[in-house]
Amino acid sequence: QVQLVESGGGLVQAGGSLRLSCAASGRFLSGYAMGWFRQAPGKEREFVAALPWSNTYYADSVKGRFTISRDNAKNTVYLQMNSLQSEDTAVYYCAAGASRYSGASGAYSRIATYDYWGQGTQVTVSS
């Protein structure tokens, strides 16, 4: 079992930055593909970024603005978010998946790929 706890969310003005953290316990994150998803009010949960070990993948809407990284020594995954826009307002979820896939398959952008989820952290961007 992996327990994931997100933190770092909050209220920020448009153009600002936030860094989300996802701390894991129960297992070492080095053995898992990690992803960030978000869900805005009234919308479905959507892919934001993934870091399956060495490669990184981003949704087109955040490419160039968000950066996913991991610190295996701290058992923590991060999502650095820059140039935030009102459209980025959502609850952000961290996820961990044990299975390996070809990156070209697009598997790491799919919710079903991930086995464990955090409780989410709210990000609100004011315009």
Side-chain angles (χ1 to χ4, degrees), residues 3-38:
Q3 292 80 43
L4 303 172
V5 178
E6 301 96 335
S7 61
L11 174 65
V12 63
Q13 288 188 333
S17 299
L18 281 175
R19 187 177 80 157
L20 305 183
S21 299
C22 173
S25 60
R27 290 287 190 273
F28 290 111
L29 285 186
S30 57
Y32 292 84
M34 300 303 299
W36 285 95
F37 289 74
R38 66 187 181 186

Side-chain angles (χ1 to χ4, degrees), residues 1-111:
Q1 290 286 337
V2 177
Q3 292 80 43
L4 303 172
V5 178
E6 301 96 335
S7 61
L11 174 65
V12 63
Q13 288 188 333
S17 299
L18 281 175
R19 187 177 80 157
L20 305 183
S21 299
C22 173
S25 60
R27 290 287 190 273
F28 290 111
L29 285 186
S30 57
Y32 292 84
M34 300 303 299
W36 285 95
F37 289 74
R38 66 187 181 186
Q39 188 166 16
K43 295 187 177 181
E44 294 186 351
R45 192 170 298 189
E46 65 175 8
F47 168 71
V48 174
L51 181 50
W53 295 278
S54 57
N55 294 328
T56 55
Y57 302 92
Y58 297 94
D60 288 343
S61 60
V62 307
K63 204 171 292 184
R65 300 187 298 122
F66 290 12
T67 302
I68 186 172
S69 62
R70 67 200 299 167
D71 186 335
N72 289 334
K74 294 184 178 180
N75 225 25
T76 300
V77 175
Y78 303 98
L79 184 68
Q80 177 67 44
M81 306 186 296
N82 298 327
S83 302
L84 283 161
Q85 306 165 358
S86 57
E87 306 87 85
D88 297 318
T89 294
V91 177
Y92 283 71
Y93 297 90
C94 171
S99 300
R100 291 180 181 253
Y101 301 92
S102 162
S105 69
Y108 295 112
S109 65
R110 292 194 282 269
I111 291 173

